[in-house]
Each structure stands twice: as C-alpha cells, then as structure tokens.
Amino acid sequence: MEKDVRKAMEELIEKLNEASKAYYADAEEIMTNYEYDSLYDRLEALERETGIILAGSPTQRVGYEVVSELPKETHPSRMLSLDKTKSREELRDWLGDKEGLLSWKLDGLTVVLTYEGGALTKAVTRGNGEVGEVITANAKTFVNLPVRISYRGALVLRGEAVITYDEFERINEEIPDADAKYKNPRNLCSGSVRQLDSSITAARHVRFYAFTLVRAEGVEFARRREQMEWLSSQGFETVMWKAVNGETVIGAVEDFERAVETNPVPSDGLVLTFDDIVYGQSLGTTAKAPRDSIAFKWADQTAETVLREIEWSASRTGLINPVAIFDPVELEGTTVTRASVHNVSIMEDLALGIGDRITVYKANMIIPQIAENLTKSGSAEPPESCPVCGEKTRIKDDNGVKTLWCENPSCLAKQIKRFTLFVSRDAMNIEGLSEATIEKLIGKGLVKEPADILKIEDHRDAIVEMEGFGEKSFANLVSSVEKAKNTTPERLLYALGIPGIGVANAKTIASACGRKWAKMTALTKEELMEIEGIGDILADGYVKFFADPAKAAEVRDVEELVNLDETEEEKEDFFSGLTFVITGSLNFYPNRDALKAEIEKAGGKVSGSVSSKTSYLINNDVTSTSGKNKKARELGVPVIDENTVREWLENKKVTL
C-alpha cells in the first residue's frame, strides 16, 4: 500500500473517531453530520479500493473485550533467540559475499499474527518461545495494524508491538505517583499488550511493526526484501530496513547509529538477515538460534570516573532512592554526572563508597548506569533520617531486595500535589516548574513551604547543577517567578490549596470581599455561608485552614513576597443574558481564558459547545467550515470575530 494512501486513511480514522468521541462522550459536535458522512464515505471507498482496513476504523465498530485471563497457546515451532555480536567487523564477516537486510531490533513485545480470508483471526505473544498468550482482541486495537487485508490466503507473520517515546512520556505524565511511573517503554508496552481489558490497550496507542513473513499460502518469494515489500503492500508497517552487502554493512550500521536519538520507537540494536531465503533456510539452526540471522548490539561506551556523593532522593510514596553523583564524563555525545543506583541492595552489591573509582555507561545508549566499582570501599551507608523531613528512616527487605523508606505521613515529599497546585496556571502561574522538578527541589531540601518557591533565586548554584537544568533554564524560571509575584487575591487564595476552594469559589469569595486580602483571610463561618456557593463543609474547612498556626505562618511568608492587586473590579452587566462560544486562535488575547474572563466580568457566560442557547460564536475565521461554524450557521447563531467582541467590551454595549 502506498504511503500517501495509508496516511490518508489514518487521518480519516483519526478525524472520524475524534468527532465520535466529542459527540458521544463530550456532548459536543465538532463537525456536521454531512461532513462526518462525507469523510466516512471517503474512508469506506479507500478501504474497498485497497482491500485493507486499519485497526480503529469506525467502519468496523468492533467493541472492546474484557476477559478473566489470557489463554495460553503453544507455538507450532519453537521461536528461537538470535546470536549476538557487538563487533561491526564480525557482522561484516558473518555476511561474507552474500547480500542481507539490516533492520532495527525494536525493543517491545514480539507478537505472531494469523490472517485467514483477509481477516485477523489470532494474535499470540512470543512468551517463552514455546508457549505464548493469546491477545487477539488487544491486537485489533493496535493503532497502525490492518485488521483486514486484500490477500485472502492463510498468512502468518511476526513483528514487534511497541510504544513510542512520545506516548510513553504522555502516559507517565498522567500518573501522579512518581514511583508508579513506568521505567521504560518496553515495560509499558508489555503490560499494555497483555491487558485483560482491550479498551486499556487501545488507550495506550500501541503500534506494530512487521519484521518476518513466516508463511503466505500460495505466494512464493526468493528474497527477504520481496517479503517486506509485499507486507507493505498489504497495509503493514515494517521495521525500517536497508539492503546491504559486505562492503556497505558497516556504513549502514553507522547510519542506524546516527538515527538512534531521533528514532521515535525504542530499539536495542539491529538485526542482519540473509536476503536469499533458500540460502538462509539451508543453514538450519543451532540449539538456541537460527543461522540465517544475527543481532548486533552497540558496544556500551564506558568511562572511568570518581564517585563524589550518594544523594538520597525521597519520593511521594516515602521510598528514598540512592543516586550516584560523580565527576563529569562524556558518554554517547553527552556529559553525564549522575546515575540512579535504584535501591540499597544494589548499592551494597556494588560496595560503593565516596571516593571510589567507578565505570559508568549508558544502557541502550540512553540511561546512565554504574557498570563496575573498581575500588569497592563499601563505606556508603543509608541515612538514618529522611533528607526531606529529618524523621527516622527504615530499611525494608522484600524478597532479598532492600529499600529505604520514610514513614512520616507529614513528610513534604508526600505533599507534591500541594506545591504543584501553587505554581499551576490558574494559581501563581509559574512556568518551568513541572511536578518532577518540584519533587527534585523538595528532595534536595530547597523547598520546604510555598514561599520557598518564590525565593528560588537564592538557590542558583544548586539548581543549575540539577539534571535537565542550566543557566538559561534557571534564568527563565527566575523570570517567571518574578512575574508571578504580581498577582491577584483570587489567584493567591486558590494557590493555597484550601480544601474545596477551586478557581470559581476563589473568585466568588474575593468578589464578596471587595478583593481585599485581609478581609478574605479573616472571614467567619457565618460570613462565608452568606456567600453564594459556599456551604457548611466548605466554610468549616476554610476557617480551619486560616486558624491553623502552621498554615497561617506559611500564608504570612507568602504575603511578604507578593504584590497583590486589590483593585475592586468594575461590575458590568451589558453582556447579561448572552452566551458565547470561543473557537480558533486569538490575536489580541493571550488565550481563551483571558477572553472568557472579560466576558464574564461583563455579565456574560462562555460555553464549550454551540447549541440553540448560544448567542454568538467567536471565531477570527468567520468563513471557516469547521464543525462549530457549520453548527452555528445551521442554528442561525451569528459568528463574530475577536475585534467585534473587543469593541463591545470597550464600548460597554452590543452593537449588532
């Protein structure tokens, strides 16, 4: 299948599924029925033309499946592992005067697929090479896998299920517990592919890349490259490969090596296979490996250095992990100064001590690790107190693996969410402070209360040495903090994290108090309950917060560092009774929230979707054929641009 046809099908599937989700899950129309039907018909036509239906196609409407366990199945023949080499010259000698295919050795989960009559009928994991698990329902959710193909014979192929680095980072960002985050894409992929609920697999956006055609009934091939090209014609994405010979294979390895950092999917080496299928099969196998293929692993670049410190990093679960800090070394083109030791057992196995000479490397050219301790002084000891709160630590032994823990429930390391809220966009709006960065700052003892974030410039030397930071990042962070110090009473109130006080309640309370901070912090329960939207429970929690001596002290520390704009907002009502919907990009206002705030200040309301209750749709592209514009025209809702609504706000009246 041609790449542009495949891309067109993938784009149509994405648009149609997005529209369905918006309509059924979010009660919002992002395109008209006419537009949806037109795109649907176009997708159906391409599927008929190619004979290929990709996973996730709305033309199939295949429901998700939940099972109590994954069935086991024995493979027809044992799936062998590959012999390996780290020598480019040995790879060249192995190929000799033959031609071969050099491809990525992807780092995911190997899956065997079976198609009959053009339909995917079975998918089985590699398992232990002899017995795998049946994951057919899950495989049907792989985002780029065809569930129907034009070939109607019996087909068996193998490939790698993988999760891209981008998807790996997206999923980890949604996991609040740092220690629950996945360690690498391979682990995430393995767990995703083997889910009992296929809807979970679908949400992980697993991809499949074919690397071997096992059998295609009635179709004969002389060369591996022909097989790969044929699989592509059937709608499968194959691993990236290059045809090589003895003279070009080393250069091709170097090409792949340069592409490692930009490769969107994880790999742990390369695979070289004889192109001549009959010749490769004639070589047979050893007890463990086929003789027609060999794996190439990049030799880990190691460097010798001196261990200067073991930093103990506390997490929100109470787990305290050791991190080795050493003299800077160059590895795989980057400067490395630290490596995770993971737990107490590994630290003891390496017999680490300050001043020891160690060798370090990057696992799979990415993750810094300690390879060996050359001097093994063994003098390092786990700390007896938590580096964050100072409370006593305890070593747990779980099946021979020792880990260090802080059991203080009030430890700041366990309160990351409170600090994350403080810096969030609707609160103090401090850019450059992710949850992971805040956790590092707390772990280093640099942040103990919210006010410390506003004094971040005092810790320049420590922060610029942190992984992922530098002079420029620190300067940007300081600039963001200084800007955030000029804030409003409602933002500060929300930033404090008082239970039940969200953005809307914070604005309501500030407005009721004339935006005077002193009055806001001194409200009684009775006064609070007179404010619309504040009930008994919220009022109790609010009063209790400011009555707590420790919380009150933290609030005072913040007050000393901020400049509050307590100017009471002029209340207007010239937009009273009007409901607006904002879509598209804006030119004057920095974002939709800013325009929304101005509309609400004038007494209007802002909704997320166009309906019969919408008064005006705001879109700078008034002639757009987007779903919201079409819906507005169908309902007779006027479409206005940003300048129009700005004029109304400035003139304090609607002139249409």
Side-chain angles (χ1 to χ4, degrees):
M1 182 167 65
E2 294 182 7
K3 288 185 178 180
D4 55 347
V5 175
R6 182 190 184 90
K7 184 178 179 182
M9 292 173 69
E10 289 177 342
E11 289 176 350
L12 287 167
I13 290 170
E14 183 179 0
K15 286 180 180 178
L16 289 165
N17 287 340
E18 183 182 357
S20 293
K21 178 181 179 297
Y23 185 83
Y24 291 107
D26 304 328
E28 179 179 353
E29 288 190 26
I30 62 174
M31 66 173 64
T32 64
N33 290 339
Y34 176 82
E35 184 179 4
Y36 183 93
D37 291 343
S38 176
L39 295 178
Y40 188 95
D41 292 344
R42 185 178 169 199
L43 175 61
E44 269 195 323
L46 287 174
E47 289 176 344
R48 285 194 300 269
E49 178 185 326
T50 62
I52 294 165
I53 300 176
L54 298 176
S57 172
T59 65
Q60 299 305 292
R61 295 295 179 207
V62 177
Y64 296 127
E65 180 178 313
V66 178
V67 296
S68 58
E69 63 178 14
L70 294 174
K72 303 290 193 298
E73 181 169 304
T74 301
H75 295 295
S77 59
R78 185 164 170 252
M79 295 178 65
L80 303 175
S81 299
L82 297 179
D83 283 335
K84 301 175 181 63
T85 180
K86 291 186 176 182
S87 166
R88 290 162 167 77
E89 290 71 25
E90 188 174 326
L91 204 64
R92 179 191 60 201
D93 294 344
W94 180 89
L95 187 58
D97 61 357
K98 302 295 182 181
E99 293 184 331
L101 260 60
L102 188 66
S103 62
W104 288 120
K105 185 176 183 296
L106 298 182
D107 194 15
L109 192 70
T110 299
V111 177
V112 184
L113 303 178
T114 300
Y115 287 75
E116 295 175 352
L120 174 63
T121 57
K122 187 167 59 179
V124 184
T125 67
R126 181 184 187 279
N128 62 7
E130 295 181 356
V131 178
E133 293 173 308
V134 179
I135 55 154
T136 310
N138 293 344
K140 288 179 179 179
T141 72
F142 294 173
V143 293
N144 65 331
L145 182 68
V147 292
R148 293 198 67 85
I149 58 177
S150 58
Y151 171 70
R152 292 295 185 261
L155 170 67
V156 179
L157 69 149
R158 295 174 185 168
E160 199 80 355
V162 297
I163 284 179
T164 66
Y165 287 116
D166 285 346
E167 186 66 14
F168 169 71
E169 291 172 3
R170 180 191 70 80
I171 292 170
N172 263 350
E173 285 174 0
E174 295 175 356
I175 300 174
D177 186 347
D179 295 306
K181 293 180 185 292
Y182 293 94
K183 302 302 181 187
N184 54 60
R186 186 188 187 283
N187 288 353
L188 173 57
C189 182
S190 178
S192 301
V193 169
R194 299 169 61 250
Q195 289 289 328
L196 299 178
D197 183 349
S198 62
S199 67
I200 299 176
T201 307
R204 303 283 177 80
H205 298 161
V206 179
R207 303 188 72 85
F208 177 86
Y209 292 93
F211 59 68
T212 297
L213 172 59
V214 179
R215 179 168 60 91
E217 187 179 46
V219 184
E220 297 295 331
F221 300 97
R223 296 188 171 275
R224 294 285 182 187
R225 70 184 75 186
E226 294 172 1
Q227 290 183 335
M228 301 296 268
E229 290 166 351
W230 184 82
L231 286 171
S232 293
S233 74
Q234 294 300 313
F236 296 97
E237 283 195 68
T238 65
V239 294
M240 187 181 112
W241 56 272
K242 285 188 174 187
V244 295
N245 56 38
E247 294 181 356
T248 63
V249 65
I250 292 180
V253 170
E254 292 171 353
D255 290 340
F256 275 99
E257 186 172 13
R258 284 189 290 270
V260 167
E261 291 190 7
T262 57
N263 191 20
V265 294
S267 65
D268 57 356
L270 304 172
V271 175
L272 179 61
T273 303
F274 287 116
D275 191 25
D276 187 323
I277 296 173
V278 173
Y279 174 76
Q281 291 174 342
S282 71
L283 300 175
T285 68
T286 66
K288 296 181 179 180
R291 289 194 173 100
D292 67 345
S293 301
I294 187 171
F296 172 81
K297 296 273 192 173
W298 280 282
D300 296 317
Q301 181 185 351
T302 61
E304 187 175 319
T305 184
V306 177
L307 180 65
R308 296 300 181 187
E309 178 187 354
I310 293 182
E311 179 184 281
W312 293 86
S313 177
S315 70
R316 73 195 66 188
T317 62
L319 180 64
I320 307 174
N321 286 323
V323 179
I325 312 297
F326 42 80
D327 290 342
V329 290
E330 291 292 320
L331 287 176
E332 313 293 354
T334 60
T335 301
V336 179
T337 60
R338 55 197 292 124
S340 174
V341 185
H342 300 297
N343 55 53
V344 175
S345 290
I346 292 176
M347 183 190 76
E348 291 178 346
D349 290 343
L350 288 167
L352 294 178
I354 306 306
D356 281 350
R357 297 203 65 80
I358 59 175
T359 59
V360 294
Y361 71 104
K362 276 190 176 180
N364 290 335
M365 302 175 72
I366 298 171
I367 305 168
Q369 301 281 305
I370 296 177
E372 186 180 5
N373 184 0
L374 304 176
T375 47
K376 296 188 176 181
S377 69
S379 59
E381 294 286 344
E384 295 182 355
S385 59
C386 173
V388 173
C389 69
E391 292 293 314
K392 188 175 178 62
T393 59
R394 184 166 75 90
I395 292 179
K396 295 181 182 179
D397 191 323
D398 185 9
N399 294 322
V401 177
K402 296 180 183 178
T403 51
L404 186 69
W405 294 81
C406 170
E407 298 182 324
N408 174 19
S410 300
C411 180
L412 280 179
K414 300 178 183 180
Q415 300 177 38
I416 301 295
K417 285 295 180 186
R418 180 162 71 99
F419 292 91
T420 304
L421 171 65
F422 184 80
V423 305
S424 64
R425 186 177 70 175
D426 291 324
M428 296 303 289
N429 193 24
I430 301 175
E431 298 178 357
L433 274 182
S434 66
E435 194 168 295
T437 300
I438 292 172
E439 188 167 5
K440 290 177 184 177
L441 294 173
I442 291 174
K444 285 178 171 289
L446 304 180
V447 170
K448 292 182 167 59
E449 60 171 320
D452 291 333
I453 292 176
L454 302 178
K455 297 184 289 186
I456 207 72
E457 60 183 316
D458 295 345
H459 304 292
R460 176 197 165 280
D461 292 344
I463 294 175
V464 296
E465 294 298 323
M466 283 172 48
E467 188 174 8
F469 260 84
E471 292 286 357
K472 185 176 180 181
S473 298
F474 179 73
N476 290 338
L477 177 57
V478 170
S479 175
S480 182
V481 168
E482 289 304 310
K483 182 180 177 182
K485 287 180 181 179
N486 297 306
T487 190
T488 62
E490 55 268 28
R491 278 185 174 274
L492 179 55
L493 184 62
Y494 172 62
L496 296 178
I498 302 171
I501 303 301
V503 175
N505 282 337
K507 288 181 178 179
T508 302
I509 292 171
S511 179
C513 295
R515 301 182 81 232
K516 301 303 178 187
W517 181 251
K519 185 176 180 180
M520 291 166 61
T521 59
L523 288 168
T524 65
K525 179 178 179 179
E526 291 72 23
E527 290 171 329
L528 280 160
M529 292 184 66
E530 290 177 1
I531 300 173
E532 184 180 355
I534 306 298
D536 185 73
I537 295 175
L538 284 183
D540 274 336
Y542 190 98
V543 172
K544 182 179 179 181
F545 180 91
F546 286 105
D548 183 325
K551 297 293 185 187
E554 287 189 355
V555 172
R556 285 194 298 273
D557 289 343
V558 172
E559 289 172 348
E560 293 176 1
L561 296 167
V562 298
N563 304 307
L564 286 175
D565 178 6
E566 296 180 296
T567 306
E568 189 168 0
E569 294 180 342
E570 293 182 21
K571 294 184 179 179
E572 307 282 358
D573 61 358
F574 54 88
F575 276 176
S576 178
L578 299 180
T579 299
F580 296 82
V581 173
I582 308 169
T583 190
S585 59
L586 299 175
N587 300 323
F588 177 77
Y589 294 95
N591 51 52
R592 294 181 189 179
D593 285 343
L595 177 53
K596 178 183 177 183
E598 292 296 313
I599 291 172
E600 291 177 343
K601 193 190 302 182
K605 294 182 179 180
V606 177
S607 174
S609 58
V610 177
S611 70
S612 59
K613 296 180 180 179
T614 304
S615 306
Y616 297 98
L617 172 64
I618 302 170
N619 188 347
N620 280 326
D621 185 0
V622 295
T623 61
S624 168
T625 57
S626 69
K628 285 182 179 176
N629 276 42
K630 288 183 177 179
K631 183 68 175 289
R633 282 193 285 273
E634 289 173 0
L635 296 174
V637 173
V639 182
I640 61 174
D641 61 18
E642 184 182 6
N643 283 331
T644 300
V645 77
R646 278 184 64 198
E647 288 177 8
W648 293 354
L649 288 165
E650 289 172 2
N651 298 326
K652 301 187 186 307
K653 63 179 180 179
V654 178
T655 56
L656 278 185

